[in-house]
Amino acid sequence: MLAFKLAWRNIWRNRRRTVITTLSIVVAVFLSVLTRSTQEGQYDNMIENTVGKYIGHIQVHARGFWDEPTLENSMAMSDTLHHTLASTPGVISVVPRLESYALSAARRQSRPAMVLGIDPAAERALSDPPSSLQAGRYFDSPSKHGAILGEGLYDRLGAVLGDSLVLLGQGWRGMTAAGLYPIRGVVSYANPELNDNLVYLPLETAQELFSAPDRLTAAALMLEDPRTLEETVSLLRSRVDTSQYEVMSWKEMMPELQQAIQADRGSGIIILGVLYMVVGFGILGTVLMMIAERSFEFGVMLSVGTPRSTLFFILAIEVLMIALMGAGFGILLSLPVIWYLNLNPINLEGAMESAMQQYAMDPVLFFSMDPGIFTSQAITVFVITLLFSLVPLVRAARKEPVESMRS
């Protein structure tokens, strides 16, 4: 207890030195939290723009569909299968889809298009077309005749709302797919591929077009907590007949996205490593200055019989107290700033905006409020502080009394 009292009084004998050392740790924690929050926020944005807007966290297909995505590998969604998927713990919505391709034509020209048959009510849980609707109206029922086009395709076809859209393609089991639908709306997504190719049809209308009644190409599942992805996939595989169906997570369907995040996370760790090194050497310099300033004091303590281990222990407690204060104040400073930026993300403009849109991402800089970011960065900087202080403390404890008092 006496050692703690001495350490506490020692660190406030020179307030300026203590404040400078503490501030260097506070700034380090703040910068590292800001960096990690930005990174994780962008990863969440990337996943949301692909997983949350298009494929879902998990998809269930007929076995073989993912290797050969054609209508011939579509599946019939029975009530039993739907109940099994919907009742799986963690699954909050099952979104049925029928996806195929056709030639689309309107007033000015024709273009290939991805035709997506959706359940209007269930689809709100995934891509939520009403929130991206730029003009027109959303579907009222799965059987309603009408089409909603991506903004890019709408412009290229030279169509206007109310025009007729011609779709021509191949249906299930080689049937001819041909249909004429009024254009009821236009949607816009950050993903340029969707904008330039997408045609929404109500599910029953799409099944009628492709002569595939009651058939689906996929059932997309949304999870209550995306962190339970692997557990839910394993549970689903144990509950469905895997000889007929394949259960795939978004990581399996989009490995390139997962690899891009891992690669970027690795580069971020290198940047943080450089930051940690700068912080560490800054703390090392401050501690060396503190030891040098108090050389006479250490010499006196050792000459009157203070054990070297006690001197080392007191100095270690001083550094520990300063590190704790720095890490604590760093978190307190980071919390309101990151919280504000999380609620008010930064809109990017100019070249940055174009670059983000090319990667199908919203041109917005998001910040993550994951509690793990705050604690991990505070602990990391705290440990770095202790590690870089270790050598100066050992050297101070090993000094000879006479030499210390002369220096």
Side-chain angles (χ1 to χ4, degrees):
M1 194 63 189
L2 179 62
F4 282 94
K5 283 184 179 179
L6 286 173
W8 180 253
R9 289 175 179 175
N10 282 339
I11 63 176
W12 294 113
R13 280 168 49 202
N14 189 332
R15 294 177 185 273
R16 178 181 296 178
R17 182 181 62 212
T18 301
V19 169
I20 291 174
T21 309
T22 306
L23 278 178
S24 66
I25 300 171
V26 170
V27 172
V29 172
F30 176 74
L31 290 179
S32 60
V33 167
L34 188 67
T35 304
R36 290 290 298 139
S37 176
T38 310
Q39 279 186 314
E40 293 301 324
Q42 292 311 104
Y43 300 153
D44 293 343
N45 182 29
M46 291 169 66
I47 294 171
E48 176 64 21
N49 277 312
T50 50
V51 177
K53 291 290 186 184
Y54 182 57
I55 65 172
H57 295 118
I58 300 171
Q59 282 196 1
V60 178
H61 319 113
R63 174 151 291 283
F65 174 81
W66 195 250
D67 294 329
E68 190 178 355
T70 66
L71 287 174
E72 305 310 315
N73 289 325
S74 60
M75 63 181 182
M77 175 66 93
S78 64
D79 292 340
T80 303
L81 176 60
H82 186 278
H83 176 74
T84 301
L85 299 180
S87 62
T88 300
V91 175
I92 56 173
S93 58
V94 179
V95 184
R97 284 177 160 186
L98 180 68
E99 178 182 329
S100 189
Y101 294 85
L103 183 66
S104 64
R107 177 175 301 196
R108 192 163 63 198
Q109 58 175 288
S110 59
R111 301 282 303 178
M114 181 182 74
V115 181
L116 195 59
I118 58 172
D119 181 310
E123 190 66 26
R124 288 173 181 267
L126 184 50
S127 62
D128 192 17
S131 67
S132 303
L133 206 59
Q134 301 298 304
R137 298 173 57 188
Y138 189 50
F139 305 128
D140 299 325
S141 70
S143 60
K144 191 175 186 66
H145 274 242
I148 295 177
L149 276 61
E151 191 174 30
L153 179 62
Y154 179 80
D155 292 338
R156 291 185 181 191
L157 294 179
V160 295
L161 291 180
D163 276 359
S164 294
L165 176 73
V166 178
L167 293 176
L168 182 63
Q170 181 174 323
W172 187 41
R173 293 182 175 173
M175 298 290 285
T176 298
L180 186 66
Y181 306 97
I183 299 175
R184 297 190 178 279
V186 183
V187 289
S188 178
Y189 291 117
N191 189 326
E193 288 190 18
L194 286 180
N195 274 341
D196 294 343
N197 299 286
L198 181 64
V199 174
Y200 278 130
L201 290 180
L203 183 58
E204 293 179 13
T205 304
Q207 290 170 336
E208 179 185 344
L209 169 68
F210 293 113
S211 303
D214 300 324
R215 299 194 72 80
L216 302 175
T217 51
L221 311 182
M222 296 300 291
L223 303 183
E224 183 178 12
D225 183 359
R227 291 173 295 185
T228 62
L229 180 71
E230 305 300 339
E231 295 86 342
T232 309
V233 168
S234 299
L235 184 58
L236 282 166
R237 284 173 178 161
S238 68
R239 302 185 67 177
V240 302
D241 183 358
T242 52
S243 65
Q244 296 186 51
Y245 305 106
E246 57 190 14
V247 180
M248 301 182 69
S249 68
W250 70 265
K251 293 180 180 178
E252 295 172 291
M253 291 183 283
M254 303 192 69
E256 65 280 2
L257 176 61
Q258 177 74 356
Q259 290 167 2
I261 290 175
Q262 289 177 342
D264 193 72
R265 189 171 278 144
S267 64
I269 290 174
I270 294 174
I271 295 172
L272 280 175
V274 174
L275 175 64
Y276 292 152
M277 291 297 291
V278 172
V279 170
F281 280 108
I283 292 170
L284 176 64
T286 308
V287 175
L288 284 173
M289 180 184 69
M290 179 183 75
I291 298 297
E293 285 179 349
R294 297 167 63 186
S295 180
F296 184 81
E297 170 192 338
F298 299 151
V300 172
M301 290 178 68
L302 292 171
S303 64
V304 297
T306 304
R308 294 180 185 276
S309 60
T310 302
L311 177 60
F312 176 84
F313 185 57
I314 293 173
L315 290 174
I317 294 174
E318 291 180 28
V319 174
L320 182 67
M321 288 178 171
I322 293 174
L324 280 173
M325 286 192 297
F329 285 126
I331 291 179
L332 290 178
L333 176 64
S334 305
L335 273 172
V337 174
I338 302 299
W339 175 75
Y340 176 80
L341 292 173
N342 178 263
L343 296 179
N344 302 280
I346 300 172
N347 292 315
L348 301 176
E349 298 178 349
M352 286 294 292
E353 180 183 7
S354 302
M356 297 285 278
Q357 288 177 336
Q358 285 180 352
Y359 287 98
M361 295 170 62
D362 291 327
V364 180
L365 198 58
F366 291 96
F367 293 82
S368 173
M369 276 294 289
D370 185 353
I373 293 174
F374 297 89
T375 53
S376 64
Q377 295 310 305
I379 292 172
T380 303
V381 174
F382 176 75
V383 171
I384 288 173
T385 303
L386 296 184
L387 287 177
F388 275 81
S389 304
L390 188 61
V391 173
L393 298 188
V394 171
R395 291 185 60 184
R398 286 184 174 178
K399 281 188 173 182
E400 292 300 325
V402 176
E403 180 188 345
S404 296
M405 287 187 285
R406 285 178 178 173
S407 62

